[in-house]
Amino acid sequence: MVTDPQSVAEAAELLLAGRLCAFPTETVYGLGADATNSDAVLAIYETKGRPRFNPLIVHCADLAMAETLVEFSPLALRLAELWPGPLTLVLKARPGNGLSDIVTAGLDTVAIRVPDHPLALELIRATDRPLAAPSANPSGRLSPTSAYQVRLGFGGRVPVLDGGPCKAGVESTIIAVDGDRLVQLRAGAFARDDIEMVLGVSVETAAKDAAVSAPGMLLSHYAPRAGMRLNAHPQRGEAWLAFGPGEEFAGPMRNLSPSGDLKEAARNLFAMLHELDAEGVETIAVSPIPKDGLGEAINDRLERAAAPRG
Ligand code: TXA
Ligand code: MG
């Protein structure tokens, strides 16, 4: 077991020394490294067992910091007004921005966001560096929404700055700004309908074979150990992940939101899958979840969790 940092200053010291440190964001815990240090960024890929073609999100303290790394069109600037928040923008890299090439996996764009979490923002300011941070879990597994899940996932080998449970619970929404088009590359904690409503601009879904895509959107992902059956009622011997006012069940069971609130369901999703998985069941049956609002991100994660594993 490594020793966890007890303050933002201690976490910043680790990062500035080129070490990894997990930290909380409003979505999920991130496995952080100084995005300008190639050795540190490489350690992220090694620790996660992440394929090298899958680029990382760069976390900034504010728009001013982001502007040193990427170019903002007027439309991109309007989206950036939604920061801090669970929204990642894929924008053209500025040449000579100081980022390690490994962060972008050779692309000429950078995925960038300003997280809405006081500890994350303090940490970026304390290091005065952009921080590369994918979700702090072994590649392909469930994302962590607490420091405990980070420790469990990496067997205590990664220091964690503990900021309590994450309030959103699913990853950020990723949007590529392509001229005057907005393309959603990953559904996430900022509901697409809300972005459209605030900006008055429509947001397209990335086609499966589109030229602009998020290379990390592998079909099997976010997977618990147990198998998953979606839109299902549990059978004997299975566990049940329910949604909405439901019947009782004799086996292991969690309810994402008894009142049918999608925000509460998103916050609980990974934590409850972790818990049911820990009970050692072979299959988790999942009730149908509405597809509107945050339901888009929840259904996306569930479909990947249920996909055949390679
Ligand atoms: O909420 C979040 O976004 C969390 C927290 C820690 O901030 N981070 C996160 O990172 O989910 P990760 O690495 O698990 O997901 C990053 C996604 C991947 O699907 C990757 O392919 C995509 O972002 N991505 C990164 N850079 C890209 C780029 N230049 N163009 C397109 N997609 C990119
Ligand atoms: Mg991830």
Side-chain angles (χ1 to χ4, degrees):
M1 288 283 275
V2 293
T3 316
D4 288 326
Q6 297 304 311
S7 65
V8 167
E10 283 181 26
E13 223 173 279
L14 287 171
L15 292 167
L16 287 173
R19 303 264 311 278
L20 302 183
C21 183
F23 64 92
T25 81
E26 79 278 38
T27 59
V28 300
Y29 274 70
L31 180 60
D34 174 354
T36 66
N37 179 333
S38 290
D39 290 334
V41 174
L42 261 179
I44 290 182
Y45 286 89
E46 279 160 14
T47 303
K48 279 184 64 90
R50 180 177 177 110
R52 283 280 295 281
F53 60 79
N54 188 0
L56 306 173
I57 293 177
V58 174
H59 298 68
C60 292
D62 49 34
L63 177 62
M65 187 183 218
E67 281 185 305
T68 66
L69 306 176
V70 291
E71 288 165 13
F72 284 83
S73 64
L75 180 57
L77 280 175
R78 288 185 59 205
L79 280 156
E81 280 174 26
L82 303 175
W83 285 342
L87 173 65
T88 295
L89 301 179
V90 173
L91 299 169
K92 267 263 172 325
R94 260 184 209 288
N97 60 15
L99 291 177
S100 160
D101 291 338
I102 303 166
V103 169
T104 54
L107 300 173
D108 59 0
T109 52
V110 184
I112 210 148
R113 83 181 190 98
V114 177
D116 185 17
H117 193 292
L119 288 185
L121 293 173
E122 274 177 47
L123 184 60
I124 303 165
R125 290 204 183 96
T127 57
D128 197 23
R129 301 284 162 86
L131 299 181
S135 51
N137 52 286
S139 189
R141 314 299 313 201
L142 292 171
S143 300
T145 56
S146 68
Y148 171 74
Q149 285 158 16
V150 179
R151 292 187 191 109
L152 212 62
F154 291 125
R157 290 187 314 271
V158 170
V160 191
L161 177 66
D162 194 340
C166 301
K167 67 181 180 196
V170 292
E171 292 85 350
S172 61
T173 302
I174 305 182
I175 293 196
V177 185
D178 184 20
D180 55 7
R181 290 168 62 222
L182 299 182
V183 184
Q184 176 173 272
L185 304 183
R186 177 176 75 184
F190 211 129
R192 180 218 303 256
D193 326 354
D194 290 342
I195 298 172
E196 291 183 324
M197 201 155 66
V198 176
L199 294 186
V201 184
S202 71
V203 178
E204 302 166 34
T205 318
K208 289 254 176 328
D209 53 354
V212 230
S213 64
M217 297 305 280
L218 308 173
L219 186 55
S220 172
H221 212 114
Y222 313 108
R225 260 164 255 285
M228 307 266 294
R229 272 194 325 118
L230 304 188
N231 305 311
H233 204 79
Q235 291 162 4
R236 192 198 292 268
E238 293 184 337
W240 189 19
L241 187 61
F243 176 83
E247 310 98 287
E248 299 291 302
F249 177 58
M253 161 177 191
R254 296 287 185 287
N255 194 325
L256 287 169
S257 171
S259 68
D261 174 12
L262 287 168
K263 203 166 165 189
E264 182 182 26
R267 188 188 310 127
N268 285 331
L269 178 68
F270 286 125
M272 288 183 171
L273 282 171
H274 272 289
E275 287 169 15
L276 290 175
D277 223 16
E279 298 194 18
V281 291
E282 236 161 75
T283 307
I284 302 171
V286 188
S287 296
I289 317 280
K291 293 199 157 52
D292 60 309
L294 288 179
E296 191 183 2
I298 297 171
N299 280 290
D300 170 81
R301 302 302 185 273
L302 286 170
E303 278 157 27
R304 290 175 207 282
R309 299 168 192 177

